[in-house]
Amino acid sequence: MPEQQTRSRPAAPRTPAGRHRVTAALTAAAPALGAYAAVRAVGLLVLHLWASAAGKDAVHLLGGRWDSVWYQRIAEHGYGYTATLPDGSLHPDLAFFPLLPALERALAELTPLTVRDAGLLVAWTAGLLAAWGMYAVGARLHGRRTGVLLAALWGVYPTAFVQSMAYTETLFTALAAWALYAVLRDRWIVAGALCVAAGLTRPSAAALVAALGVSAVAVLVREYRTAGGDGLLRRNRRMLAGVCVAPLGWLGHVVFVAVRESSPFAYFEVQAQWGNSIDGGRALAAFVVGLPLPAALGLCAALGLLAWLVFLCVRQRQPLPVLVYGLAIVVVSLIGSGYFGSRPRLMMPAFPLLLPPAVALAGPRTAVRAAVTVTVLALGSAAYGAWTLLGSGPP
């Protein structure tokens, strides 16, 4: 009798090997990766055609100008270069974080690629990883269709052309998306490690650190209210470890600059030399006031749309780490005194802002509307990207 009972039981499911889990996850994310790759391919095709008509090299436009050149110089020669502008102001390369140039140098040494081409490969690969991470976040919160559309909408963002440049936006967004996904799955050590890497990529990693910190505080407060303080820290030791590790990447670069320049505030002094400091939004207000009336009204309309997206994110009741991260990226991008034209690019990693429209387009009866919307946005983004890259100013 016991033998019959044993035989009648269903076999316990076996835990798949790690690579099988990755393969299954990649297969599930394939539609999102395909959609993202398709819209970015449209952008690259339009840029190639437009650049060819203008007698310019599209690859050079993507990998050989503006910030890309600074990263490549660091990859080839290390830190220590300072540019002197015609007005006498100084721009030290210490303002740039080290992870992208480190990856560029490693790829250039291990492969036949040039440093420029290595930077493009990192950016394009990181773009796919970012799309995968966004899909994972969107699918976990609202289903697979939302995850696919979230990745696609990020690929048609107005300044999505930067995702195809040898810049840090795709690398940072990939790390941020997967860090948030790790938090949603209570894998705080993984989230903290990814946050360290993000902190070696861009200063906006402070938003990601804030997201982890605020979420951890909320967990501790909630558990304290329900279960008291006995064993509270012990039960949450992995979460606390992840939060403590999270800022080390950003702090590491700040300390490196401080030691190199023999000043505890050297990093902030370097940023000030580049015109990047926190002014609470005064520079933004002055920029708007100084515009001609039609342009000022258009910019105010864009800022109103941004505020509406923020409101929708709050009303959507996004999980706290996702919400805090998105809002913090927006705030950091708006309260600085830097070059205004870069602000849309600086906000691009705030992909949670795209969750409300992704959910709206993911309904069972909105497939045609979603396809038309993404197609129109892809063409508009491609045209704007080519026009910007063929211009004289940095994005």
Side-chain angles (χ1 to χ4, degrees), residues 297-314:
L297 292 176
L299 180 55
C300 288
L303 292 173
L305 176 60
L306 176 63
W308 176 245
L309 286 174
V310 169
F311 169 75
L312 291 179
C313 290
V314 175

Side-chain angles (χ1 to χ4, degrees), residues 167-189:
Y167 272 41
T168 58
E169 271 69 20
T170 54
L171 181 58
F172 173 76
T173 307
L175 294 166
W178 284 108
L180 293 175
Y181 179 70
V183 171
L184 293 176
R185 298 192 62 188
D186 288 325
R187 295 184 175 180
W188 288 88
I189 300 295

Side-chain angles (χ1 to χ4, degrees), residues 41-388:
V42 171
L44 292 173
L45 177 61
V46 170
L47 172 63
H48 172 72
L49 295 175
W50 201 327
S52 297
K56 296 187 177 181
D57 180 9
V59 176
H60 173 72
L61 295 176
L62 293 171
R65 303 170 78 195
W66 305 314
D67 289 5
S68 299
V69 176
W70 287 89
Y71 287 115
Q72 290 160 25
R73 184 181 286 113
I74 295 169
E76 293 172 338
H77 306 293
Y79 286 100
Y81 175 78
T82 298
T84 302
L85 275 62
D87 62 1
S89 60
L90 302 178
H91 282 184
D93 60 6
L94 289 168
F96 296 90
F97 281 58
L99 184 56
L100 176 59
L103 293 175
E104 289 176 334
R105 179 166 186 163
L107 274 176
E109 290 181 350
L110 295 174
T111 69
L113 294 173
T114 64
V115 170
R116 183 197 69 178
D117 294 342
L120 290 174
L121 178 60
V122 170
W124 294 3
T125 303
L128 290 171
L129 291 174
W132 188 1
M134 285 177 226
Y135 165 80
V137 172
R140 184 171 182 85
L141 297 180
H142 300 285
R144 293 183 60 187
R145 289 172 62 87
T146 296
V148 172
L149 283 164
L150 181 60
L153 289 175
W154 191 66
V156 299
Y157 184 85
T159 58
F161 64 91
V162 177
Q163 298 170 19
S164 300
M165 299 178 68
Y167 272 41
T168 58
E169 271 69 20
T170 54
L171 181 58
F172 173 76
T173 307
L175 294 166
W178 284 108
L180 293 175
Y181 179 70
V183 171
L184 293 176
R185 298 192 62 188
D186 288 325
R187 295 184 175 180
W188 288 88
I189 300 295
V190 174
L194 291 169
C195 205
V196 171
L200 293 171
T201 306
R202 292 189 60 79
S204 47
L208 190 58
V209 173
L212 267 65
V214 171
S215 302
V217 169
V219 169
L220 293 175
V221 171
R222 183 173 62 249
E223 288 196 13
Y224 179 81
R225 289 177 175 176
T226 57
D230 292 341
L232 179 64
L233 299 182
R234 184 178 65 255
R235 292 194 305 272
N236 293 284
R237 59 185 180 277
R238 295 182 66 83
M239 179 185 74
L240 295 173
V243 171
C244 290
V245 166
L248 296 183
W250 183 85
L251 287 174
H253 184 65
V254 171
V255 171
F256 167 75
V257 176
V259 172
R260 190 178 180 95
E261 298 297 297
S262 301
S263 169
F265 303 106
Y267 169 76
F268 304 100
E269 295 165 359
V270 165
Q271 291 293 342
Q273 287 176 305
W274 278 82
N276 298 324
S277 58
I278 302 300
D279 68 358
R282 289 194 300 273
L284 174 60
F287 181 83
V288 174
V289 171
L291 289 174
L293 183 59
L297 292 176
L299 180 55
C300 288
L303 292 173
L305 176 60
L306 176 63
W308 176 245
L309 286 174
V310 169
F311 169 75
L312 291 179
C313 290
V314 175
R315 192 177 70 173
Q316 195 179 46
R317 295 185 178 180
Q318 293 180 358
L320 192 59
V322 177
L323 181 63
V324 171
Y325 166 76
L327 298 185
I329 289 288
V330 171
V331 170
V332 169
S333 302
L334 293 180
I335 65 174
S337 60
Y339 171 59
F340 180 82
S342 295
R343 296 183 192 233
R345 169 174 66 86
L346 299 178
M347 276 188 279
M348 189 165 58
F351 69 89
L353 294 177
L354 302 175
L355 263 173
V359 171
L361 291 171
R365 300 181 180 179
T366 57
V368 174
R369 184 174 65 182
V372 171
T373 299
V374 171
T375 300
V376 171
L377 291 176
L379 293 173
S381 175
Y384 176 71
W387 176 78
T388 301

